[in-house]
Amino acid sequence: MKGAWSRQETRAAVLRYLWRSGGSFRPDVIAHVGLTDASISRIVADLKAEALVDETRKRAPYRGGPSTFLTLSESQFVATIELSNNRLHAGIGNLKGEVLFSEHHELPDGIAAMAAENITAAAIASMADWCAHHDIVLRQMAISIPGYHSGRASNPIVALRPDFITRTLDAALPDVPVTCANSIVTRALAHRLQLGVTRDERPYFYVFLGHGVGGAFVDESAGSDEVLPCEIGHMIMDRQGAPCRCGHSGCLEAYVSTGAMAPLIGKTEQQMLAPRDSWREGVRLSGHAEAEIGIRLAQLGTAIGNALNLNRVRRVVVAGWPSALQDKAGPAVLAGIDRSLFGGAAGVELSFSAIELGREPASGIALATFAFINRGGHMALAPDRKRAHA
């Protein structure tokens, strides 16, 4: 381990490794985190005493190996309000990522602010009632909102003010720390969690295409899975182009979101948002549709190339509907990247991921867990630090 870490940082490092690995033997924790056996023993003893970590009997897959296995606790709970794909998802889960309570409410584009607030208040009340009925104490709440920015009071994408959500949470679930994040940060963290522990810790650019389109730079080498959102969905490709829900015309989202693609493919948007690309079954694309999809994917590539020009990351992960067409999508996206003026597609490693669709509220629960373990799993914050923003 480099430099002197605080107790919170060392606890967070151990908890993050267990979170990403899904559980581990002590020698693996020691090797990855870079602490001594004695230090790990002290930290694990503290975490077990606080019921943050469970240790169970499990044989190592090799002779003479350890016989106890560390995992995050299933007796500590986090929750989320996740706005995604025209729905508000409310969820409660444990630190292992198991969803224990989940419900969703329709939140269509253009919904009035009062209606959106009433839906949100009802969802929070349901969560509070469930917690009271099951005698659950929440350790962390995460709010995930499309277009969220900590310095913006209103939202051009969703008619919900973050301060309304936090006030309603304060009334229904007092003293629960809250973190707020842009939806693309939530998606990127959930994707990173699904990758598990890897040896390749180079930064990458994560792009998600669903009802909304977003991008984020993920830097694992920072030691805390730092995620930096990047505006890509509302990058204007044609000022005279199709109208976008943000109020502008010609945004990338207006061409490559599931709402824009569904009529071209001959499916409903909700079919395209179903888990694991099930919409692809039975689709027969006409020559015109294939050509138009290629044009739109090239537009996506150009937008990605513009983002890469500002941040010289060479790994790109595209998640969402293009994964079902990756045999055709790959060349089209790379061709678009190659049109960018600086660097082009040379050396770009492009891959696709389908597993993010239909995972709400698991993504929001991942964000809440990440926020909780990043502060070392401490149960409470000082009053002036209760609200955090990502």
Side-chain angles (χ1 to χ4, degrees):
M1 184 176 61
K2 296 180 180 180
W5 284 5
S6 68
R7 181 172 179 271
Q8 175 174 316
E9 288 172 328
T10 55
R11 285 166 57 102
V14 171
L15 291 170
R16 272 197 305 273
Y17 181 73
L18 295 178
W19 182 60
R20 285 171 46 173
S21 65
S24 180
F25 296 101
R26 288 195 189 212
D28 295 326
V29 178
I30 294 168
H32 184 88
V33 178
L35 294 171
T36 65
D37 191 358
S39 295
I40 288 292
S41 293
R42 286 194 297 270
I43 292 169
V44 168
D46 288 345
L47 296 175
K48 286 174 61 179
E50 296 169 25
L52 297 177
V53 166
D54 295 330
E55 190 165 24
T56 57
R57 303 288 296 182
K58 181 177 179 179
R59 288 191 176 278
Y62 50 89
R63 186 182 297 274
S67 60
T68 57
F69 193 73
L70 296 169
T71 62
L72 294 184
S73 172
E74 59 182 26
S75 63
Q76 302 295 335
F77 307 96
V78 297
T80 186
I81 293 292
E82 181 179 0
L83 278 60
S84 176
N85 297 329
N86 274 18
R87 287 177 173 174
L88 182 150
H89 301 265
I92 298 171
N94 59 30
L95 299 186
K96 290 185 176 180
E98 297 166 336
V99 180
L100 307 175
F101 166 84
S102 176
E103 66 178 31
H104 72 263
H105 304 263
E106 300 300 321
L107 206 67
D109 288 335
I111 188 172
M114 182 63 72
E117 290 180 357
N118 289 339
I119 290 170
T120 304
I124 292 173
S126 292
M127 294 174 65
D129 289 345
W130 190 89
C131 288
H133 180 73
H134 291 84
D135 197 23
I136 293 291
V137 175
L138 296 178
R139 301 305 184 189
Q140 179 73 47
M141 171 69 68
I143 302 172
S144 176
I145 307 178
Y148 171 79
H149 188 282
S150 60
R152 182 184 295 153
S154 60
N155 189 312
I157 306 300
V158 180
L160 263 176
R161 292 168 291 122
D163 65 329
F164 170 81
I165 303 177
T166 54
R167 287 200 312 272
T168 308
L169 283 170
D170 278 340
L173 294 162
D175 302 321
V176 179
V178 178
T179 188
C180 300
N182 191 299
S183 291
I184 191 59
V185 172
T186 306
R187 294 280 184 183
L189 282 172
H191 169 79
R192 180 65 199 84
L193 176 60
Q194 292 155 25
L195 293 179
V197 176
T198 68
R199 292 185 178 276
D200 190 347
E201 294 190 344
R202 291 174 299 155
Y204 60 92
F205 186 45
Y206 173 85
V207 182
F208 176 79
L209 289 86
H211 183 70
V213 177
F217 290 97
V218 181
D219 186 1
E220 300 174 44
S221 63
S224 59
D225 293 328
E226 181 178 345
V227 177
L228 177 65
C230 169
E231 182 56 75
I232 187 172
H234 299 284
M235 188 181 294
I236 295 177
M237 311 303 291
D238 178 4
R239 291 188 179 277
Q240 306 303 316
C244 180
R245 59 178 175 155
C246 73
H248 295 97
S249 295
C251 294
L252 178 66
E253 183 178 294
Y255 297 101
V256 299
S257 66
T258 47
M261 296 300 301
L264 183 63
I265 292 173
K267 294 283 185 175
T268 67
E269 184 177 21
Q270 284 307 314
Q271 286 174 320
M272 291 193 69
L273 291 171
R276 298 191 177 277
D277 287 336
S278 57
W279 64 268
R280 187 68 175 90
E281 298 176 7
V283 170
R284 297 290 184 271
L285 296 175
S286 67
H288 168 74
E290 286 196 355
E292 181 62 24
I293 290 171
I295 291 171
R296 297 188 187 190
L297 286 169
Q299 287 180 308
L300 170 65
T302 299
I304 292 172
N306 289 341
L308 297 184
N309 286 342
L310 299 177
N311 189 325
R312 300 295 292 163
V313 168
R314 307 314 287 168
R315 298 170 66 201
V316 177
V317 177
V318 175
W321 68 262
S323 62
L325 305 172
Q326 57 185 283
D327 54 335
K328 296 182 175 63
V333 172
L334 286 172
I337 294 175
D338 211 36
R339 293 175 188 169
S340 58
L341 297 179
F342 184 68
V348 171
E349 300 176 27
L350 176 66
S351 60
F352 294 85
S353 174
I355 52 179
E356 279 76 11
L357 289 172
R359 285 183 48 80
E360 304 86 2
S363 297
I365 288 173
L367 173 65
T369 304
F370 181 76
F372 179 58
I373 66 179
N374 250 17
R375 66 170 195 266
H378 293 299
M379 299 305 185
L381 296 175
D384 62 339
R385 296 183 58 205
K386 184 178 178 185
R387 303 298 174 203
H389 303 278

